[in-house]
Amino acid sequence: MDTMRNCDRRHRATALLAATARCLLAGSLAVPGTALAQAAAQEPVREDLEALDAIDLAPSSLEQGQTRLQDSFGPSREAWIADTRRKAFEDTRFDVQARTFFLTRDKYDGSESEAWALGGSAGLKTGYFREFFAFGATGYTSQKLHGPEDKDGTLLLAPGQEGYTVLGEVYGEFLLNQDTRLTLGRRGFDTPYINRNDARMTPNTFQAAVLQGLYGDSKENGEWRFGAGYFDKIKERNSEEFVSMARDAGAPAGVERGVYSLGGNYSLGDLSVGAIGYYSDDIIGIFYTEAKYAFALSGDWKLRTGLQYSDQSSNGDQLLKGTRFDSHQWGAKAELVRGGALFTAAYTDAGGNANMQNPWSGYPGYTSVQVEDFNRDGESAWMLRAGYDFASVKGLGVYALYVDGSDPSAPTEFARQEADFNVQWKVPEGMFKGLMVRLRYAQVSQDDPASDDLKDLRIMVFYDPPSL
């Protein structure tokens, strides 16, 4: 019976992904006329393009390194239009960011990881030549300021506490029409299970061929986003080397496989619903879907709700683990928003016969937080979170959260509880505009009398020069 239920679930996931693809195709055929008319609007001046960087966002409970489905497949409509109007060398954009990052972690077994790094990134993205082709490149570096050899493992530096420098992005972007792009080369992408996971010194980047589209208007007629592509290799966050997606997932040496992906999202006002699938032959198949809706309550209060479901299974020759596996997790989230205050409650439940996996990204689960993902087989978890963005000090925000997880299925593993505290200040104006200072602290306990509590402290200082 369990085998039959697993097969039914995979069939339902495949059917939903196919239905999503059909809807995307229909939308892409129906909307281009409207989209092209929107794109033919008046040319913006340079100040209009740069003003997009100052857009304020509503309070969010999104964890560092995660990507929401509604934010996948490219930037916002406003940023997309501005980007496609950039002209060749005239509007070439240079991006430079300096970073310093300190991380220290006391682990369950009493060992420690600790490092302090200095580095950042420098890159450029041209405008479009003949309104068709643009080029981009980004280099990254992370160099050791402090890193005892016996305290490796922070992912701020390469293994062995070594500094590294890498050309992480070199790509061409082709504008097929004003609402459809093709990217070829090495670049960072953001979807729930393949993303930059930019929570250390440098992000993941990928060698890929990716088609992205953005049609319609989310406020009036609805906005369609879609993406389809093949991801051949990945450069992990603390690496100089691009390796096969299969190897990065944990497949045996010599196994070379990429990942095919197809997905889309529809949004209209406060409604958002979408799905995405990933398939690596003989390695793993992943299906993810998410729906969100927001309600206006009395006064200035607003209720935001979300549902998510992930399904993962082996396929083909079972090269990842050498045996068949199937796992899944569902989650629900509710958030109360008033001004700068955000109160969140979330619940997730994982099952199957294996732990959930996220080899190429931060994990998208609602209870995935600073240290733990709470996605082990048989593990359920609930989270309470409270955050506040101060109106009196622009750019200053704090939050605290607590996650309580149950015992997983494996008899050698134990229930865990995590408490996090975060304070961040991003200077919005003045001589220090572009500076971000962030402190994150987490403490994780587990119901194993033989283990210690895990303690994780991170201090980050990022600087984006405002003149570039």
Side-chain angles (χ1 to χ4, degrees), residues 275-292:
I276 188 168
Y278 309 85
Y279 183 83
S280 183
D281 191 32
D282 297 321
I283 306 298
I284 191 172
I286 302 175
F287 174 79
Y288 178 78
T289 185
E290 184 177 20
K292 294 184 176 181

Side-chain angles (χ1 to χ4, degrees), residues 284-431:
I284 191 172
I286 302 175
F287 174 79
Y288 178 78
T289 185
E290 184 177 20
K292 294 184 176 181
Y293 191 69
F295 306 84
L297 302 178
S298 59
D300 298 328
W301 291 93
K302 192 171 187 177
L303 174 64
R304 302 194 306 222
T305 61
L307 291 171
Q308 63 177 186
Y309 177 75
S310 290
D311 185 274
Q312 302 180 350
S313 61
S314 58
N315 62 67
D317 291 336
Q318 324 292 330
L319 296 181
L320 185 59
K321 294 178 177 289
T323 184
R324 182 174 297 279
F325 65 87
D326 183 273
S327 55
H328 57 271
Q329 184 183 57
W330 69 271
K333 180 168 69 172
E335 298 183 326
L336 281 173
V337 187
R338 186 179 187 275
L342 175 64
F343 304 95
T344 305
Y347 177 83
T348 57
D349 183 76
N353 60 11
N355 295 342
M356 299 291 288
Q357 302 173 64
N358 54 304
W360 314 299
S361 69
Y363 190 71
Y366 290 152
T367 57
S368 175
V369 287
Q370 181 169 328
V371 176
E372 294 295 339
D373 291 323
F374 294 94
N375 61 356
R376 295 174 293 175
D377 179 28
E379 184 175 35
S380 59
W382 58 266
M383 180 187 74
L384 294 177
R385 181 186 187 276
Y388 189 74
D389 293 341
F390 292 87
S392 57
V393 182
K394 291 184 178 180
L396 178 64
V398 299
Y399 73 78
L401 63 83
Y402 177 78
V403 184
D404 187 277
S406 69
D407 286 312
S409 297
T412 57
E413 296 185 336
F414 301 88
R416 292 172 178 169
Q417 302 82 39
E418 178 170 346
D420 295 355
F421 175 76
N422 182 98
V423 58
Q424 174 178 303
W425 183 40
K426 187 173 182 179
V427 182
E429 55 191 7
M431 64 181 297

Side-chain angles (χ1 to χ4, degrees), residues 237-270:
R237 292 176 292 174
N238 64 329
S239 176
E240 298 175 314
E241 181 183 4
F242 282 80
V243 300
S244 165
M245 298 289 280
R247 175 181 164 186
D248 193 67
V255 176
E256 304 285 327
R257 299 285 192 281
V259 179
Y260 296 92
S261 181
L262 171 66
N265 191 83
Y266 174 77
S267 60
L268 178 61
D270 290 322

